[in-house]
Amino acid sequence: MYDLVLLHPPTVYDFREEMLFTGPISDVVPSSPVFEMYPIGLTSIGDYLERFGLKVKIINIANRMLLNPKFDVEKKIKKVKTKAFGIDLHWLPHAHGSVELAKIVKKYHPNTPVMFGGLSSTYFHKELIEYPCIDFVMRRRYHRKAGLDAVK
C-alpha cells in the first residue's frame, strides 16, 4: 500500500484510438518518450515525502501507453493500492488526458482523494475543482511568503 501514487497523463486520452486537436504545440512537439516524460516536480515531491517515511510511487501512464499499444490503463489503475492519487497538470497540452485519467481513477477508487498540481493546475484551479473527479488542487502562491496551498 502506497501513501501517494503520482500519475503522469497522456496529452489526449486515449490517443491510440482517437486523436483530438491538441493545439499548435502538437505540431511542434509530437508525442515521443521525451515529450511524455513527467515533470521533475514529481520526483522532488516523491523524494521529499519519502524522507519523512511516506511510500510514494510515480507511474508514467503517458509513456507506458506510448511504448506499449496493449497497455491497459484501466486494469493498471484498478490494481493500484494507495491512500491518495496525484495527477500532474503542468503542461497545458495534458489538460484532456489529466481530467480523463482522474475520471478513471474515481471509477475504480471513488473514495480515494485525487489531487492535481502543476503550473497549469495553479492557473486553472477554479475550473479544475469543479470536476467531481478532482478533490484537491495544489497551487503555487505567488507572493512574499510563497508556498503551496490546496483548494478543496
Side-chain angles (χ1 to χ4, degrees):
M1 168 76 91
Y2 293 98
D3 293 297
L4 177 64
V5 171
L6 298 168
L7 304 172
H8 178 61
T11 52
V12 172
Y13 186 87
D14 183 346
F15 64 87
R16 299 173 298 185
E17 296 176 8
E18 157 185 33
M19 192 57 197
L20 298 176
F21 178 69
T22 56
I25 192 70
S26 63
D27 294 335
V28 179
V29 186
S31 286
S32 69
V34 174
F35 184 62
E36 297 302 341
M37 288 306 299
Y38 53 82
I40 193 74
L42 292 187
T43 306
S44 300
I45 291 167
D47 178 62
Y48 180 81
L49 294 174
E50 286 181 344
R51 280 189 265 152
F52 290 94
L54 296 172
K55 195 170 178 186
V56 179
K57 181 174 180 73
I58 299 171
I59 304 173
N60 190 337
I61 297 294
N63 203 35
R64 289 190 182 191
M65 291 174 75
L66 186 64
L67 296 177
N68 181 359
K70 295 182 181 181
F71 177 70
D72 187 332
V73 177
E74 292 198 30
K75 184 177 177 183
K76 178 67 177 174
I77 296 297
K78 186 177 181 180
K79 291 191 317 189
V80 173
K81 304 287 186 225
T82 187
K83 295 177 184 174
F85 286 93
I87 299 176
D88 74 86
L89 180 50
H90 183 74
W91 298 299
L92 194 54
H94 288 90
H96 179 269
S98 62
V99 172
E100 293 303 311
L101 189 56
K103 289 176 185 176
I104 292 169
V105 168
K106 279 298 184 185
K107 176 180 176 181
Y108 294 104
H109 304 280
N111 298 317
T112 304
V114 174
M115 298 176 278
F116 267 46
L119 184 61
S120 293
S121 289
T122 293
Y123 190 80
F124 292 105
H125 68 275
K126 290 178 184 174
E127 292 82 1
L128 289 168
I129 202 63
E130 295 298 319
Y131 284 91
C133 57
I134 301 171
D135 299 301
F136 299 94
V137 179
M138 304 304 290
R139 62 186 179 135
R140 176 114 167 102
R141 293 181 291 178
Y142 297 98
H143 53 75
R144 278 185 230 142
K145 293 183 179 184
L148 289 177
D149 63 356
V151 178
K152 182 176 179 183

